Amino acid sequence: GAGVSQTPSNKVTEKGKYVELRCDPISGHTALYWYRQSLGQGPEFLIYFQGTGAADDSGLPNDRFFAVRPEGSVSTLKIQRTERGDSAVYLCASSAQDLGEQFFGPGTRLTVL
Amino acid sequence: GQQLNQSPQSMFIQEGEDVSMNCTSSSIFNTWLWYKQDPGEGPVLLIALYKAGELTSNGRLTAQFGITRKDSFLNISASIPSDVGIYFCAGNPYNNNDMRFGAGTRLTVKP
């Protein structure tokens, strides 16, 4: 389809492990966003890319979280030494321009046991 | 950072009734947006507002960007069962690229 896709849809991992979450934005969208959504809460901003560069990473909770977008399209959110508190749905969104309307993917549900 | 206060947290209404929900902030926002999220899905944009005082409709939905730039409301008229879901307000704080979300309003529509 033409929407934002995210893989995997579900990820179960053990405490201390490393995980990678992938986002494929809508083709041609230059801006890409990562959010984290805990149960019963709204999405919480993590990081925003404009092209290949991270324009704003102020929402990353700590240095265990890192994201890349090497070619300005697909992005990977990387979490090292996962903790149980990292369990959440990780949402990706893209937009055609800075501050433009964001289109969300279905999310990756991460469970850290 | 700037927090969005969204109310009510939940609403239980009869089919055909009108619904109103709102969002306030302690700081000025550049944009206000309203999203709907169904279980297991990402939020879907309903209405986007870019100018203070702007009033925009999308079918049975109407939203306004408050004059003070610190609030917005969403109205749904003549609710139907498929309106069930969680509605989120969101916005870009002034001079800030990131999007802030409210905690959501869970809407239940009884047929």
Side-chain angles (χ1 to χ4, degrees):
Chain A
V4 177
S5 62
Q6 292 186 244
T7 55
S9 55
N10 280 283
K11 176 71 177 177
V12 180
T13 190
E14 293 179 342
K15 180 174 177 296
K17 300 288 189 183
Y18 168 81
V19 296
E20 290 190 353
L21 312 178
R22 176 188 167 107
C23 173
D24 277 270
I26 293 172
S27 178
H29 278 193
T30 57
L32 184 147
Y33 306 78
W34 282 100
Y35 295 86
R36 179 169 67 175
Q37 187 175 24
S38 300
L39 192 64
Q41 299 294 319
E44 173 192 6
F45 169 79
L46 295 177
I47 186 170
Y48 154 61
F49 287 90
Q50 183 57 252
T52 61
D56 184 347
D57 64 357
S58 61
L60 294 177
N62 51 60
D63 61 5
R64 295 187 297 105
F65 289 74
F66 189 71
V68 296
R69 195 186 185 199
E71 297 177 359
S73 178
V74 170
S75 177
T76 304
L77 178 66
K78 309 180 181 196
I79 310 174
Q80 299 177 323
R81 304 183 305 279
T82 51
E83 299 177 356
R84 293 194 179 89
D86 298 335
S87 297
V89 174
Y90 289 82
L91 293 164
C92 174
S94 70
S95 68
Q97 60 193 39
D98 196 22
L99 296 184
E101 297 176 16
Q102 296 184 22
F103 296 86
F104 282 81
T108 294
R109 180 177 296 279
L110 175 67
T111 303
V112 182
L113 302 176
Chain B
Q2 296 92 339
Q3 298 296 319
L4 291 185
N5 298 306
Q6 186 173 350
S7 64
Q9 280 188 323
S10 60
M11 303 183 76
F12 296 83
I13 62 170
Q14 289 290 140
E15 182 177 0
E17 290 183 354
D18 297 343
V19 171
S20 185
M21 57 192 80
N22 69 82
C23 223
T24 60
S25 169
S26 58
S27 304
I28 289 173
F29 273 57
N30 271 345
T31 60
W32 283 97
L33 303 98
W34 287 91
Y35 285 86
K36 179 174 184 273
Q37 188 174 28
D38 293 324
E41 303 290 329
V44 174
L45 182 67
L46 300 173
I47 293 181
L49 304 158
Y50 296 102
K51 288 192 293 191
E54 182 180 352
L55 181 72
T56 297
S57 292
N58 178 8
R60 293 178 296 107
L61 278 60
T62 301
Q64 184 160 32
F65 191 140
I67 288 290
T68 65
R69 298 173 71 183
K70 294 182 180 180
D71 64 306
S72 176
F73 72 75
L74 173 71
N75 288 342
I76 306 173
S77 63
S79 58
I80 59 178
S82 63
D83 290 335
V84 165
I86 302 177
Y87 292 79
F88 290 100
C89 63
N92 292 102
Y94 183 69
N95 276 344
N96 204 317
N97 285 317
D98 64 73
M99 182 89 72
R100 310 283 173 151
F101 280 78
T105 296
R106 183 180 294 275
L107 179 63
T108 302
V109 180
K110 293 180 264 188

